[in-house]
Amino acid sequence: MARILVADDEAGLREFMADALALDDHQVTVASDGREALRLCNERSFEVVVTDLKMPHVDGLTVLRTLR
């Protein structure tokens, strides 16, 4: 089981990915944009981050660079 953050501004895709990962017994947290993803990463740790590249406020590449 992994702690996974799914960040995507498209609700349908975000929820689909979260549901699919949860079926494999992963602990999934979702973020609706890059700003929320960074806030969540400051509050807790994740083993995997899945992010959309184009999102409002903070894009996915900025999220990954900041976390790296």
Side-chain angles (χ1 to χ4, degrees):
M1 178 174 84
R3 291 181 313 277
I4 301 174
L5 173 63
V6 175
D8 198 310
D9 59 325
E10 294 182 39
L13 183 57
R14 182 176 64 240
E15 295 305 321
F16 172 78
M17 291 183 67
D19 290 345
L21 292 166
L23 285 174
D24 282 338
D25 292 327
H26 297 292
Q27 180 184 349
V28 182
T29 303
V30 296
S32 60
D33 61 37
R35 187 183 304 164
E36 183 179 9
L38 290 175
R39 181 185 58 78
L40 289 167
C41 287
N42 283 327
E43 294 174 0
R44 61 189 90 130
S45 65
F46 296 96
E47 297 166 311
V48 177
V49 174
V50 179
T51 182
D52 186 6
L53 293 179
K54 294 183 180 180
M55 293 185 291
H57 308 297
V58 177
D59 65 38
L61 284 177
T62 302
V63 170
L64 294 177
R65 285 184 189 123
T66 301
L67 296 177
R68 198 179 111 195

